[in-house]
Amino acid sequence: MSPEDVKQWVDILSTLLAAGGGGGIILAVIGYMRAKAEKPHIASPTVGTGGLAQIAGMVMGQTDLKDIIDALRGISASHDRCTLMRESEMVARKKEVDETREHERRLLEERRQHEKRLAEDRHQEHREMVEAIQGLTRGTRDIRCAG
């Protein structure tokens, strides 16, 4: 026997004779025999190599999918920002149009009031002129009647 074989046997004997070592070995042998007698609780894989390759591809592609999902979320957020900007721009334009319409309405109202005042002034001047002519006509009639 070579010195290595002797050392191996000495290790085995020291393990068996060590405190608790023999009990551990006996328990291990009993556990092994019970496990051998029982049916294995783990089923053998029914997925073939192609299926395992697909699963591995899905697991490895998970980060790519996360990147794609993040990119889609970024696009969605960008679209939302564009929509909000467009809506705020439309609100601003609508407000500007409303202000312009209100200004034009005020100008039109002022113009109508001005034209109404001018018409009233012309009507008043016409009345005064008619009254003056009637006064002259009466005065002329009075002069003729007196003469």
Side-chain angles (χ1 to χ4, degrees):
M1 278 190 143
S2 70
E4 292 177 1
D5 291 334
V6 173
K7 184 177 185 280
Q8 182 180 4
W9 282 104
V10 170
D11 288 338
I12 291 172
L13 285 175
S14 65
T15 305
L16 288 174
L17 297 175
I25 292 173
I26 292 171
L27 287 176
V29 169
I30 292 172
Y32 172 74
M33 293 179 88
R34 277 184 87 192
K36 190 176 177 185
E38 293 178 1
K39 289 185 177 179
H41 62 281
I42 299 174
S44 61
T46 58
V47 179
T49 56
L52 289 175
Q54 287 177 350
I55 292 171
M58 289 190 305
V59 169
M60 293 183 70
Q62 188 175 11
T63 56
D64 294 337
L65 291 175
K66 285 181 183 177
D67 292 342
I68 290 172
I69 290 171
D70 290 340
L72 290 175
R73 285 185 181 149
I75 291 170
S76 175
S78 174
H79 178 72
D80 291 344
R81 283 192 298 271
C82 289
T83 302
L84 290 174
M85 287 297 295
R86 196 174 320 123
E87 288 176 357
S88 64
E89 184 178 332
M90 292 302 289
V91 167
R93 284 185 182 178
K94 184 177 180 183
K95 184 178 178 182
E96 183 180 335
V97 167
D98 290 343
E99 289 174 356
T100 303
R101 285 182 183 163
E102 180 65 25
H103 181 68
E104 289 174 354
R105 189 193 60 75
R106 279 190 308 234
L107 288 176
L108 184 61
E109 186 64 32
E110 288 176 9
R111 181 178 174 192
R112 285 180 184 160
Q113 289 176 358
H114 181 68
E115 288 176 354
K116 185 178 177 183
R117 280 194 304 263
L118 287 177
E120 288 173 356
D121 290 347
R122 270 189 262 128
H123 184 68
Q124 183 66 27
E125 288 173 4
H126 183 67
R127 243 189 198 165
E128 289 172 0
M129 191 175 6
V130 167
E131 287 177 8
I133 291 173
Q134 286 176 350
L136 286 174
T137 306
R138 271 181 280 178
T140 309
R141 192 177 341 138
D142 290 343
I143 292 177
R144 237 194 287 159
C145 290

